Amino acid sequence: MATRLGLGLPQMRQYDIGKDVPEVARTAEQIGYESLWVFERALFPEPATQGLYGIEGLPWPDQYRHVADPLVTLTLAAAATERARLGSSVLVAPLHVPFQLAKSLATLDAASGGRVIAGLGTGWSVDEYAASGVRPIEERGQVLDEIIEVCRAVWGADPVSYDGRITKIASAEVGPKPARPIPIMLAASNKKAQQRLVDHADGWLPVGMGVEQIAAQWRQLQDLAAERGRKEPIQTVLRVNAVHTPKAYDGADRQPFQGDVAQIVEDLVAHAEIGLDEILLELQATPRDAEELKDLAAEVYEKARAAGV
């Protein structure tokens, strides 16, 4: 069975969001991509308070200076497509008010006919947390726990009630409801986050850093699920942040998914052998415009399928 393939939607500075998102979404669905994805980067601190991922001295990539809102982007894609699932990898969930996030996702799922995948993470930027004003970054795990609980409550049967640290819902009707149960997927890169995933979520959203690392994390997660008595299978979508170069990258330090199309496909083949359900191709960083992104997406898809992905 072939690995499902998804495509990241254009959210960066070089794209005309209102025009390019619907066009890329329609084209991707026609090519054969089964899902469309967004990510969240709320702001770009200048000067940077901390390094990328909180790592001292690691610079933020320039493309993070201008990233369109993920839910608005998904809404544009939903209106332009019919079949492709609509996912986030990831929403930095604690930047959002829990009740409003649950309601927005439910509305989008109802409007799209049941196509939303709620991919959530806690993020790492102290500046984004300060700007959102929901709760301090130190409480991000607790906030994510509450968001998951609020989503389950809001998406469930009326009357809805919830009494949490942030969210207080007296008995109320809340609609629209999702067209079907929205899967919640988590990034979950450490032990505590993996326990949250195993106990409370539907799936896992790893980032492609290399075959051995992803395979080891997947085994660890499966072992933890067995230890904690989980019966339901864990859905998996691997995110790969590709850096496309017109010519083959011949450096000895080539990172996974860096290089020409042949090299990106070679890495796709290797990662597909891990046995994950789906691979999300994030290709938008290097194309100069939507036409280049569509051409690149078509070429990668065609060659990946020809290679057995």
Side-chain angles (χ1 to χ4, degrees), residues 49-285:
T49 308
Q50 62 182 158
L52 186 69
Y53 311 130
I55 300 171
E56 186 176 355
L58 188 63
W60 289 46
D62 192 62
Q63 59 259 35
Y64 284 176
R65 292 180 181 275
H66 180 112
V67 178
D69 179 86
L71 292 179
V72 172
T73 304
L74 278 185
T75 302
L76 289 168
T81 56
E82 297 178 355
R83 301 179 304 279
R85 286 168 295 114
L86 307 161
S88 53
S89 180
V90 293
L91 285 177
V92 185
L95 302 183
H96 300 262
V97 175
F99 176 80
Q100 193 57 54
L101 179 60
K103 173 116 181 177
S104 294
L105 289 168
T107 302
L108 181 58
D109 193 72
S112 65
R115 294 191 279 148
V116 170
I117 302 165
L120 310 178
T122 55
W124 45 266
S125 169
V126 295
D127 295 281
E128 289 183 336
Y129 272 81
S132 76
V134 178
R135 297 300 296 172
I137 193 170
E138 293 79 13
E139 299 178 21
R140 60 192 180 276
Q142 295 170 307
V143 177
L144 179 56
D145 288 336
E146 181 160 323
I147 286 171
I148 293 171
E149 292 175 356
V150 170
C151 283
R152 302 289 194 205
V154 167
W155 300 342
D158 290 326
V160 174
S161 61
Y162 184 84
D163 185 11
R165 294 175 67 248
I166 304 170
T167 311
K168 309 288 184 182
I169 309 172
S171 181
E173 293 188 16
V174 183
K177 299 297 184 185
R180 91 300 189 218
I182 298 174
I184 293 177
M185 304 186 73
L186 302 178
S189 58
N190 59 52
K191 183 66 176 289
K192 188 171 183 179
Q194 288 177 346
Q195 289 180 354
R196 178 185 293 115
L197 188 160
V198 167
D199 293 345
H200 302 296
D202 300 291
W204 181 43
L205 294 169
V207 177
M209 299 293 189
V211 172
E212 292 183 3
Q213 180 179 346
I214 297 300
Q217 289 181 357
W218 180 222
R219 288 192 299 269
Q220 183 182 44
L221 191 59
Q222 289 175 303
D223 290 344
L224 181 62
E227 289 173 15
R228 299 179 76 83
R230 179 179 174 122
K231 303 301 182 186
E232 301 84 4
I234 296 173
Q235 302 172 35
T236 52
V237 179
L238 174 70
R239 177 187 182 90
V240 299
N241 298 313
V243 178
H244 174 251
T245 56
K247 296 181 181 179
Y249 187 94
D250 57 4
D253 59 343
R254 186 179 81 88
Q255 299 299 306
F257 304 103
Q258 178 184 27
D260 64 3
V261 169
Q263 289 174 321
I264 291 172
V265 170
E266 178 183 326
D267 291 332
L268 280 174
V269 170
H271 283 74
E273 292 175 354
I274 298 172
L276 304 180
D277 298 322
E278 186 164 356
I279 297 176
L280 150 62
L281 287 160
E282 180 57 89
L283 301 171
Q284 69 171 303

